Amino acid sequence: MEESKIISNTRVVIIGGSAGSLNALLQILPDLPLFTSFALVIVLHRRGTDDLTLEGLITLKAQTEVKLIEDKVQLMPGFIYVAPSNYHLLFEKDDFFALDISEKVNYSRPSIDVSFESASEVYGPNLVGILLSGSNTDGTEGLKAIQNAGGIIVIQDPKSAEMPYMPSNAILNTTPDYILSTEDILKFLISIDK
């Protein structure tokens, strides 16, 4: 008998991005009020260093508390989590994170596809995937996995993206639930905190 998929009841919003996506986040996070009904996980392409500059910047700009991700740390609603550099971010049953140092995917570690696909297996219809600005194809396959698992996919409108290639590729190869400007992504996030 095949083991049924383990789906968590925790609601998760996972945001992926590459070049230009930090600017989009810095337009969204300062105006995003404290939220309690979901966890927000950010997976950005970043240099393979150990510094916490990105986490520090997001901590300064966001109203919601940022928690560091370490292997086997448990995800909880009401917090922002940022994928560390040089690891793929995975999701396990019972809402635990796992860090993986396997080969780069789409020239990146963390890879957006890897994190989106892993999250889709655990959170299914309780997952929202948002893809921001970037200059390669990472994220498209992950968005497909989220949608196939019953989740919602949101893509930044390429017209509002600093680097439109990544969202444009995703729009061409998926059926997005929403294509939104950064301002409308903010409104969407506020609207789902119920």
Side-chain angles (χ1 to χ4, degrees):
M1 185 172 132
E2 204 175 294
E3 185 183 335
S4 64
K5 287 197 172 193
I6 298 162
I7 303 291
S8 168
N9 288 323
T10 303
R11 292 176 66 220
V12 174
V13 175
I14 186 167
I15 298 178
S18 188
S21 59
L22 181 57
N23 287 340
L25 281 173
L26 295 180
Q27 292 172 43
I28 294 167
L29 293 177
D31 295 320
L32 180 63
L34 290 170
F35 51 84
T36 57
S37 67
F38 59 86
L40 179 61
V41 180
I42 298 170
V43 181
L44 298 188
H45 292 169
R46 51 197 295 194
R47 290 188 182 89
T49 60
D50 287 333
D51 76 60
L52 299 175
T53 307
L54 180 60
E55 289 85 347
L57 183 59
I58 290 173
T59 298
L60 280 173
K61 298 294 183 181
Q63 296 183 42
T64 302
E65 185 179 344
V66 177
K67 282 192 172 273
L68 290 179
I69 294 177
E70 294 177 327
D71 199 41
K72 308 307 179 204
V73 161
Q74 193 169 27
L75 169 151
M76 294 180 293
F79 294 97
I80 295 173
Y81 298 89
V82 181
S85 63
N86 222 21
Y87 292 94
H88 291 307
L89 179 63
L90 304 175
F91 298 80
E92 297 182 333
K93 64 179 183 175
D94 300 325
D95 301 320
F96 282 94
F97 291 112
L99 298 178
D100 178 79
I101 55 167
S102 59
E103 292 301 309
K104 291 182 177 182
V105 176
N106 295 312
Y107 311 103
S108 303
R109 191 174 55 220
S111 159
I112 300 164
D113 277 339
V114 168
S115 295
F116 279 14
E117 288 167 5
S118 177
S120 74
E121 292 172 9
V122 176
Y123 297 104
N126 294 315
L127 182 64
V128 175
I130 301 176
L131 188 67
L132 301 177
S133 172
S135 56
N136 72 15
T137 62
D138 198 13
T140 296
E141 293 305 312
L143 287 175
K144 288 180 189 175
I146 291 170
Q147 197 160 50
N148 289 339
I152 293 171
I153 64 171
V154 179
I155 300 172
Q156 182 180 3
D157 187 332
K159 291 193 287 285
S160 76
E162 204 172 300
M163 294 288 198
Y165 185 82
M166 185 181 280
S168 294
N169 181 72
I171 289 166
L172 284 174
N173 292 288
T174 66
T175 309
D177 295 294
Y178 301 97
I179 299 170
L180 302 174
S181 67
T182 48
E183 185 180 325
D184 287 334
I185 291 171
L186 170 63
K187 291 176 184 170
F188 172 80
L189 291 171
I190 293 169
S191 76
I192 63 170
D193 187 30
K194 295 181 171 117

